[in-house]
């Protein structure tokens, strides 16, 4: 009986040492070692609490730096190993002697299980950091990939009042040659307040003005395509890829987005700083990796060549395929209704992609992102963007769509579009701000606030 009491006491002290390092060492009189272990553990615990509370935004900014991610991989693995060694050494100090047969196996199994309990979360954190490092270095280009005239990206946001990001959805369908940029949204973000406006351009804008240089020389009166091509905005990307002379000196697979950025920037009168492009198939897989996205659909949406698909009206959690068709379908509607649904869907995804949701499907999301997403946002800018994203959560995202009757897609008034953009981004702050944590801008009459209610 006394042996059993000694075993349970040893296991209790081992458990206590797993919760607070050094308890077993203090019990057997190894005071100096026990106090040292307790001090190290207290320091690690205090650091973890500070990271999770006071310095959370700073740590998040650091964790999009490949170097810090590598350090995190090493640190978490070392911590897991040390913790397991503390547990094992604590048990070896207090275990009863002799210990044989079933009792020895039972105790060894419990101690091994305890090691797994404390090491598994740290090993998983290390895995997430490793996958994040792979994602950062695969999707986001290194600073050295840019010419010197792009400047120091670390301080880039600090020198700009606004940053303009071109968000592109590419549809490379099997039944058509090349890729069409059927979704083009420009997110214009105030770097001081986080105030954001989404400008949407329809894919069927005609005779869009080309930027100065070979492209304008080829199309002095606006882009018209060639042959059977109707010459729409969504063809500019593939046209540049197929005609290297329009964007001289730019490598393959970069010509299209280079010309599209310059073209869209000219239309809106905004310099396009960076782009992010996603293949629509990849978008569906990202939604599935998140576990779906919830939107309130105002009316039934039919899709498919033979009207075989249906997204029913109501508040629904859509799968990736349903979300894809929700944003693509023009059956019983048109391009402009579809554009509105796309903006609503992007907003719903952004709001629902909370850390826990992303973490649950992180490896799948990372795999899909590496395959279907491309961008020229440099790694060195990511910490500043993470900090800026915290401001976005305190503001209202507004949207302005350049669709009929605001404009004519066949004969657009380019001066009007640029003036409308200028008025919108320079809209004054609302005079009656509800609180210091809520920033609402007084929008021009044509802008609308986004929510998750979609037509």
């Amino acid at each position: 009986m006394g042996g059993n009491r000694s075993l349970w006491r040893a296991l209790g002290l081992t458990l206590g040492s797993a919760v607070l390092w050094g308890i077993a060492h203090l019990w057997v009189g190894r005071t100096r070692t026990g106090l040292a272990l307790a001090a190290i553990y207290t320091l690690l615990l205090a650091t973890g609490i500070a990271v999770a509370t006071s310095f959370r935004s700073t740590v998040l900014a650091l964790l999009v730096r490949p170097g810090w991610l590598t350090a995190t991989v090493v640190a978490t693995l070392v911590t897991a190993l040390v913790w397991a060694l503390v547990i094992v050494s604590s048990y070896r100090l207090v275990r009863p002697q002799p210990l044989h047969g079933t009792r020895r196996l039972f105790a060894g199994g419990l101690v091994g299980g305890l090691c797994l309990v404390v090491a598994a979360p740290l090993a998983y954190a290390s895995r997430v950091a490793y996958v994040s490092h792979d994602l950062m270095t695969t999707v986001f280009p290194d600073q050295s990939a840019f010419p010197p005239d792009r400047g120091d990206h670390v301080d880039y946001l600090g020198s700009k009042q606004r940053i303009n990001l071109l968000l592109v959805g590419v549809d490379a369908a099997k039944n058509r040659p090349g890729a069409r940029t059927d979704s083009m949204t420009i997110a214009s973000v105030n770097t001081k307040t986080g105030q954001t406006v989404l400008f949407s351009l329809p894919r069927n804008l005609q005779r869009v003005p080309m930027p100065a240089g070979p492209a304008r020389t080829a199309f002095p009166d606006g882009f018209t395509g060639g042959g059977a091509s109707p010459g729409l905005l969504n063809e500019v990307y593939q046209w540049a890829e197929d005609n290297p002379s329009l964007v001289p000196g730019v490598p393959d697979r970069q010509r299209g987005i280079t010309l599209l950025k310059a073209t869209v920037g000219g239309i809106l009168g905004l310099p396009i700083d960076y782009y992010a492009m996603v293949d629509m198939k990849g978008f569906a897989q990202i939604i599935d990796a998140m576990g779906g996205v919830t939107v309130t659909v105002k009316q039934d949406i039919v899709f498919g060549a033979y009207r075989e698909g249906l997204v029913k009206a109501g508040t629904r959690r859509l799968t990736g395929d349903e979300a894809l068709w929700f944003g693509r379908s023009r059956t019983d509607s048109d391009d402009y209704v579809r554009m509105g649904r796309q903006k609503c869907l992007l907003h719903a995804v952004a709001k629902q992609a909370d850390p826990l949701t992303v973490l649950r499907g992180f490896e799948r999301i990372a795999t899909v992102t590496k395959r279907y997403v491309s961008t020229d946002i440099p790694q060195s800018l990511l910490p500043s963007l993470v900090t800026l994203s915290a401001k976005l959560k305190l503001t209202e995202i507004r949207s302005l769509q350049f669709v009929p009757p605001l404009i004519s897609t066949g004969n657009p008034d380019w001066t009007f579009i640029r003036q409308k953009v200028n008025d919108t981004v320079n809209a004054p702050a609302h005079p009656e701000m509800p609180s210091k944590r809520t920033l609402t801008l007084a929008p021009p009459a044509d802008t609308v606030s986004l929510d998750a209610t979609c037509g």
Side-chain angles (χ1 to χ4, degrees), residues 172-340:
K174 295 180 179 179
N175 60 348
R176 65 169 60 157
R180 304 284 181 87
T181 56
D182 282 346
S183 176
M184 288 162 284
T185 299
I186 298 81
S188 183
V189 186
N190 186 305
T191 59
K192 303 300 186 293
T193 66
Q195 173 256 326
T196 301
V197 184
L198 302 180
F199 297 106
S200 303
L201 292 175
R203 69 185 186 95
N204 59 340
L205 277 181
Q206 298 181 30
R207 292 188 174 275
V208 294
M210 293 282 97
R216 184 176 295 176
T217 300
F219 300 102
D221 298 319
F223 181 69
T224 55
S229 168
L232 306 180
L233 176 59
N234 71 336
E235 300 173 49
V236 169
Y237 174 88
Q238 191 61 45
W239 192 267
E241 287 293 335
D242 295 338
N243 296 272
S245 61
L246 291 183
V247 196
V250 179
D252 289 347
R253 302 180 65 83
Q254 290 298 317
R255 289 191 294 268
I257 196 62
T258 298
L259 183 58
L260 185 63
K261 285 173 62 178
T263 302
V264 168
I267 293 172
L268 299 180
L270 291 175
I272 303 301
D273 299 288
Y274 302 103
Y275 82 93
M277 184 165 60
V278 59
D279 187 290
M280 300 307 287
K281 291 183 294 184
F283 180 76
Q285 293 182 34
I286 291 174
I287 295 295
D288 281 332
M290 288 175 52
V293 60
T294 300
V295 295
T296 299
V297 186
K298 291 183 179 180
Q299 59 188 27
D300 289 352
I301 297 172
V302 179
F303 63 85
Y306 302 99
R307 304 176 64 91
E308 67 273 18
L310 176 67
V311 178
K312 293 184 178 180
T315 300
R316 306 180 55 79
R317 190 158 190 84
L318 306 182
T319 66
D321 282 341
E322 289 173 331
L324 179 59
W325 281 110
F326 173 84
R328 290 178 66 182
S329 178
R330 286 180 291 165
T331 305
D332 299 334
S333 61
D334 54 33
D335 273 331
Y336 315 120
V337 173
R338 179 174 72 167
M339 286 172 61

Side-chain angles (χ1 to χ4, degrees), residues 93-252:
L93 284 174
V94 297
R95 66 182 176 179
Q97 294 289 353
L99 194 63
H100 303 289
T102 304
R103 295 170 69 234
R104 182 176 182 177
L105 291 174
F106 172 73
L110 287 180
V111 172
L114 186 57
C115 290
L116 288 176
V117 167
V118 299
L122 290 169
Y124 180 72
S126 179
R127 172 66 181 173
V128 170
Y130 173 80
V131 173
S132 299
H133 180 277
D134 186 42
L135 177 66
M136 294 297 111
T137 55
T138 301
V139 176
F140 299 93
D142 186 78
Q143 176 76 38
S144 60
F146 294 89
D149 61 359
R150 289 297 291 269
D152 182 0
H153 292 281
V154 175
D155 298 326
Y156 189 70
L157 292 190
S159 64
K160 293 179 65 67
Q161 181 179 358
R162 306 192 72 85
I163 183 170
N164 303 305
L165 307 175
L166 173 60
L167 311 176
V168 184
V170 174
D171 188 0
K174 295 180 179 179
N175 60 348
R176 65 169 60 157
R180 304 284 181 87
T181 56
D182 282 346
S183 176
M184 288 162 284
T185 299
I186 298 81
S188 183
V189 186
N190 186 305
T191 59
K192 303 300 186 293
T193 66
Q195 173 256 326
T196 301
V197 184
L198 302 180
F199 297 106
S200 303
L201 292 175
R203 69 185 186 95
N204 59 340
L205 277 181
Q206 298 181 30
R207 292 188 174 275
V208 294
M210 293 282 97
R216 184 176 295 176
T217 300
F219 300 102
D221 298 319
F223 181 69
T224 55
S229 168
L232 306 180
L233 176 59
N234 71 336
E235 300 173 49
V236 169
Y237 174 88
Q238 191 61 45
W239 192 267
E241 287 293 335
D242 295 338
N243 296 272
S245 61
L246 291 183
V247 196
V250 179
D252 289 347

Side-chain angles (χ1 to χ4, degrees), residues 49-94:
I49 293 174
V51 165
T53 54
S54 303
F55 301 100
R56 183 177 179 182
S57 59
T58 301
V59 171
L60 287 176
L62 290 176
L63 289 180
V64 290
R65 294 179 181 270
W68 279 90
L69 287 170
T70 300
T72 300
V73 172
V74 175
T76 49
L77 288 178
V78 169
T79 302
L81 178 60
V82 171
W83 205 328
L85 289 175
V86 168
I87 293 172
V88 172
S89 65
S90 298
Y91 173 69
R92 289 174 63 86
L93 284 174
V94 297

